[in-house]
């Protein structure tokens, strides 16, 4: 019996990386997925991801020297994760970060297995930014896209300019948490559902697989919550899935317990779309901070660095990096939690091990029907 017909989850292969469980724990910025969560996931046999966005916010010199603080914190978290596990560790870097090059260099120098490129069109391959000696490091590069058109632009550009293409691609649908790569009116439009865009991306990627004679796995993300969901997307042709929201409800998630409790307590109608100061819609859990801002209240802040290139900080009523840092620390009155559309399904906090046991069982059950 081949793996596709088996009741067990198939392995995910990205180049020479063999991943036992085809699940990527999605990077969650500003301190939600750091070394603790990433190493726990990697230990089980899936891909653990440290998010680089705002990672230096807890360093003492962040307000005066944010680039150095980010680089130092990222290096520290990668090393901590690698001390805790020999499993597969990735780093998520936002293309829109003003220190994208510096953070990519740290991730490559530290020899992470993969770099996931979110929030923007990654026309630059981070590995072309680095010295020859580092180019030999087998770090895989995986863009995150929201459409077949974006995938085509990136792959075509890389093919033309570098004569190679990314190692895999994540397709993130509109039910995801955090910043979304869609216009607000597209989010509930059935034409932009993950089930619709996944096959379109698979078909674009096929042409590049043929051109470069290599397998380029397509990983589905956004609203995938149960083992049954994983089974359904694998049946639709995904090679793996990326999940983030489900990992917030674990002991190992790096956020404060109050952040996790916001997930446990929220209802379906609390998951709303906000206009982020960085010019993209975002999905978050409605709370007093969000209501205050919608009512026109300003939350004073000083921006001495512009962490995201597209941030309209001069006209923004609040600093999103600060609001998300406060939430990470459990100060929910001074910030808010990003969350996927299925966050309301979180009813208790469990261990990463229990979570995987549940997902594997649910998958096998779905595969047996
Ligand atoms: C709290 C939170 C923070 C996130 N931060 C980032 C980030 O920094 N970079 C990124 O590319 N995606 C980010 N995401 C998106 C996830 O990595 C993931 O692709 C998406 O949420 C998947 O959908 P799901 O949460 O329904 O599983 C974030 C999601 C959440 C819930």
């Amino acid at each position: 019996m081949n793996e596709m017909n088996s009741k067990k989850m198939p392995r995910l292969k990205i180049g020479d990386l063999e991943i036992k469980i085809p699940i990527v724990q999605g990077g969650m910025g500003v301190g939600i997925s750091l070394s603790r969560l990433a190493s726990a996931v990697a230990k089980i046999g899936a891909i653990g991801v440290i998010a680089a966005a705002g990672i230096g916010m807890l360093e003492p010199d962040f307000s005066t020297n944010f680039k150095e603080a980010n680089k130092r914190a990222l290096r520290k978290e990668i090393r901590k994760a690698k001390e805790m596990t020999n499993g597969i560790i990735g780093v998520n870097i936002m293309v829109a970060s003003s220190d994208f090059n510096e953070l990519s260099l740290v991730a490559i120098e530290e020899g992470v297995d993969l770099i996931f490129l979110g929030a923007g069109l990654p026309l630059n391959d981070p590995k072309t930014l680095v010295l020859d000696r580092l180019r030999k490091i087998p770090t895989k590069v995986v863009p995150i896209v929201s459409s077949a058109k974006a995938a085509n632009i990136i792959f075509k550009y890389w093919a033309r300019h570098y004569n190679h293409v990314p190692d895999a691609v994540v397709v993130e649908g509109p039910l995801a948490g955090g910043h979304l790569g869609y216009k607000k009116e597209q989010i509930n439009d059935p034409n932009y559902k993950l089930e619709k865009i996944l096959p379109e991306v698979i078909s674009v990627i096929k042409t590049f697989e043929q051109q470069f004679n290599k397998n380029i796995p397509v990983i589905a993300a956004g609203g995938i919550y149960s083992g049954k969901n994983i089974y359904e997307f694998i049946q639709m042709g995904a090679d793996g899935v990326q999940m983030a929201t489900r990992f917030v409800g674990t002991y190992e998630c790096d956020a404060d317990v109050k952040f996790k409790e916001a997930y446990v307590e929220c209802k379906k109608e609390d998951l709303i779309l906000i206009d982020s100061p960085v010019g993209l819609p975002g999905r978050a859990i409605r709370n007093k901070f969000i209501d205050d801002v919608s009512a026109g209240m300003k939350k004073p802040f000083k921006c001495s660095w512009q962490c995201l290139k597209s941030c309209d900080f001069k006209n923004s009523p609040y600093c999103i990096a600060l609001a998300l840092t406060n939430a990470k620390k459990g100060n929910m009155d001074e910030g808010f939690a990003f969350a996927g559309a299925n966050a309301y399904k979180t009813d208790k906090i469990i261990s990463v091990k229990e979570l995987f046991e549940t997902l594997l069982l649910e998958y096998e059950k779905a595969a047996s029907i």
Side-chain angles (χ1 to χ4, degrees), residues 5-43:
N5 297 327
S6 146
K7 292 189 177 55
K8 301 237 178 292
M9 286 190 199
R11 282 172 185 256
L12 169 62
K13 290 195 193 98
I14 305 182
D16 56 0
L17 280 181
E18 279 242 13
I19 303 114
K20 207 170 83 194
I21 303 173
I23 299 178
V24 180
Q25 163 255 305
M28 291 179 278
V30 199
I32 311 301
S33 72
L34 298 174
S35 54
R36 191 162 51 142
L37 178 58
S39 63
V41 171
K43 248 183 221 165

Side-chain angles (χ1 to χ4, degrees), residues 25-30 32 51-53 92-94 116-119 144 170 172-173 175-180 221-225 242-246 248 259 263 283 337-343:
Q25 163 255 305
M28 291 179 278
V30 199
I32 311 301
N92 174 296
I93 307 178
M94 291 172 75
F116 293 90
L117 304 172
I144 302 172
V170 174
E172 196 188 69
L175 297 181
H179 288 118
L180 303 173
I224 299 172
Y225 196 83
Q242 170 164 298
M243 299 166 72
T245 294
R246 188 87 200 245
V248 172
F259 186 102
Y263 271 54
R283 185 173 279 105
F338 267 155
N342 283 328

